[in-house]
Amino acid sequence: MTATKGLEGIIAAQSSICSIVDGVLCYGGINVDELAEKASFEEVVYLLWNGKLPNRSQLDELNKNLGENAAVPKEVIDSIRSYPQGVHPMAILRTAVSLLGLYDQEAQDMSAEANLRKSIRLMAQTPTIVAAYARIRKGLEPVDPDPKMSLAENFLYMLTGEKPSETAIKAFNTALILHADHELNASTFAARVTVATLTDIYSGIVSAIGTLKGPLHGGANEAVAAMLAEIGSLENVEPYIRHALDNKQKIMGFGHRVYKNGDPRAKWLREMSKALTKQVGKEELYQMSVKIEEMVTSEKGLLPNVDFYSASVYTALGLESDLFTPIFAISRMSGWTAHIMEQYENNRLIRPRAEYTGPVNQHYIPIDQR
Ligand code: COA
């Protein structure tokens, strides 16, 4: 038995939700480029859950369900108020989502209907939790969700209490679509492994959130923002990146396990970064990002991934950098729940083997002889 480090290239599941073939990303067979241009995030949620786009009445019903379920139990909000200061928002989200499971009467109901209802609640309530925490930590009261707003609009509204601009809603909607699903990425795999034991959906989502939090996965977008802040100006890019490359440091937001010829989502975020940073007078962030890309690509042959330009996009939207990964989680909740439901439909315990590399033929030595 020989291990494949990082399970690279291993086909670990069959799935009809999302495909990456020859560098082209599709949800339900539809190129993500087309969805990013034309769809609403809610249509994408429906597509991931059902394998086809909704007709008007199906979409109306989903929108209604998401709107009606966006409020979070008061106990969860009260609990968030008591969490320690200075904790990472992903740890807050992981804990608060776990708590949602305690207050969900259907948490242990494993029927497909109940799991769909729980998926709707998880999808609807995650933005509410993130926005509520973002306000609570500043000493502000959470803003109640508006059931008539789209998910993108509602999240931005709940953060500030003010109606966001059409530009911001459109950009945020596109960002949500681009992050919605990505086949067997680490957090989705973690969710599938968890629920393949036939535990409940909340346990699967808690695994997924904990996995997304790491800087090699979803945490990379926040790390990119930290890097941009540390670099500080266009003229500092060159020495900073040169020093990092010379010292074999990882440049966050570059490289990908699957895409070796470029992440198809990055071009969208690059364009959005260009337009949005210009609008808010933060063009230097975009220029710095382009310069970093030029250097890392020419010197290491590495291309930017989804997280690289999303950092400047979210910064231009006025979002705080430690909320970037929770925002990724809001979007990926659609994919996680889709994969969990698919796993339940045709389940088998996921239990691979390990290649043993430890000592052999050892014996127990009594403790006072060690
Ligand atoms: N900066 C510098 N070097 C990088 C790099 C980066 N961002 N990403 C990969 N490399 C280098 C590795 O050091 C390795 O070099 P080596 O062969 O000389 O040791 C080589 O490229 C292959 O990378 P590897 O770590 O084996 O790729 P992986 O498939 O295991 O990892 C990532 C993929 C995404 C985890 C990795 O590219 C990375 O850490 N990127 C930064 C974090 C990030 O942006 N994550 C978000 C992913 S969407």
Side-chain angles (χ1 to χ4, degrees):
M1 292 197 299
T2 314
T4 304
K5 199 169 180 194
L7 299 183
E8 181 166 5
I10 301 288
I11 310 295
Q14 287 187 323
S15 176
S16 59
I17 297 168
C18 171
S19 61
I20 306 170
V21 179
D22 297 333
V24 177
L25 172 63
C26 295
Y27 302 157
I30 305 177
N31 192 318
V32 77
D33 287 342
E34 217 176 315
L35 293 167
E37 192 187 333
K38 298 175 182 164
S40 68
F41 177 62
E42 286 78 357
E43 285 178 289
V44 168
V45 173
Y46 189 99
L47 173 65
L48 295 173
W49 286 352
N50 297 282
K52 58 180 172 43
L53 287 168
N55 62 29
R56 193 162 294 283
S57 72
Q58 288 164 333
L59 182 61
D60 288 347
E61 194 189 336
L62 177 64
N63 286 335
K64 184 168 168 283
N65 278 332
L66 289 171
E68 284 174 0
N69 283 285
V72 167
K74 183 180 174 305
E75 292 86 346
V76 175
I77 297 292
D78 286 345
S79 169
I80 293 175
R81 293 183 205 277
S82 73
Y83 294 161
Q85 292 284 317
V87 174
H88 196 278
M90 281 298 276
I92 302 281
L93 181 63
R94 189 190 60 216
T95 307
V97 167
S98 185
L99 208 54
L100 282 183
L102 298 190
Y103 292 99
D104 190 331
Q105 305 280 330
E106 290 192 304
Q108 299 301 325
D109 185 336
M110 296 299 280
S111 66
E113 296 75 21
N115 279 324
L116 178 59
R117 287 193 292 273
K118 284 179 274 184
S119 298
I120 291 170
R121 288 196 278 279
L122 278 159
M123 189 67 253
Q125 292 173 12
T126 305
T128 313
I129 289 174
V130 176
Y133 174 66
R135 290 180 67 85
I136 287 169
R137 69 176 174 177
K138 290 185 189 151
L140 300 169
E141 270 307 294
V143 171
D144 289 336
D146 182 336
K148 292 183 295 300
M149 288 184 182
S150 72
L151 205 135
E153 180 176 9
N154 213 358
F155 175 69
L156 297 172
Y157 164 70
M158 286 188 286
L159 275 180
T160 62
E162 282 161 28
K163 202 174 153 38
S165 70
E166 282 309 316
T167 318
I169 298 169
K170 187 168 185 298
F172 198 66
N173 179 71
T174 308
L176 290 177
I177 290 173
L178 294 170
H179 289 81
D181 196 42
H182 210 220
E183 200 222 43
L184 273 201
N185 61 93
S187 55
T188 302
F189 185 53
R192 289 190 81 130
V193 170
T194 303
V195 302
T197 66
L198 293 185
T199 187
D200 64 288
I201 192 167
Y202 287 97
S203 300
I205 294 298
V206 169
S207 292
I209 296 173
T211 309
L212 187 75
K213 179 170 174 283
L216 296 190
H217 189 12
N221 55 13
E222 183 184 348
V224 172
M227 175 175 71
L228 289 170
E230 204 181 328
I231 296 174
S233 68
L234 187 55
E235 66 197 24
N236 281 345
V237 168
E238 170 111 36
Y240 181 99
I241 297 295
R242 174 125 350 267
H243 178 266
L245 293 176
D246 289 349
N247 288 283
K248 303 223 170 300
Q249 286 168 10
K250 275 207 166 165
I251 314 289
M252 301 316 266
F254 285 86
H256 201 274
R257 174 60 65 77
V258 179
Y259 301 117
K260 299 302 175 194
N261 296 316
D263 182 331
R265 303 164 296 179
K267 61 180 179 295
W268 284 95
L269 292 154
R270 189 193 289 106
E271 281 311 302
M272 286 158 70
S273 168
K274 187 177 181 184
L276 291 169
T277 55
K278 187 160 191 235
Q279 263 180 36
V280 298
K282 290 189 176 170
E283 284 151 297
E284 195 173 11
L285 272 184
Y286 171 72
Q287 291 157 355
M288 286 162 66
S289 305
V290 170
K291 179 84 188 142
I292 296 170
E293 179 182 349
E294 280 167 11
M295 285 188 73
V296 176
T297 302
S298 73
E299 308 230 351
K300 291 281 292 183
L302 289 165
L303 294 159
N305 58 46
V306 70
D307 292 306
F308 186 64
Y309 283 97
S310 63
S312 44
V313 166
Y314 293 151
T315 305
L317 287 174
L319 302 165
E320 293 156 283
S321 63
D322 64 354
L323 298 182
F324 294 179
T325 316
I327 287 167
F328 192 158
I330 291 172
S331 164
R332 188 56 59 85
M333 189 60 72
S334 57
W336 289 333
T337 45
H339 279 267
I340 289 173
M341 289 189 281
E342 186 181 62
Q343 183 66 38
Y344 284 142
E345 263 170 36
N346 185 16
N347 187 57
R348 189 162 189 231
L349 181 75
I350 299 173
R351 200 298 187 195
R353 297 295 312 275
E355 179 186 355
Y356 180 67
T357 59
V360 293
N361 296 329
Q362 301 292 300
H363 290 286
Y364 179 82
I365 303 167
I367 193 156
D368 49 7
Q369 292 173 28
R370 286 177 220 157

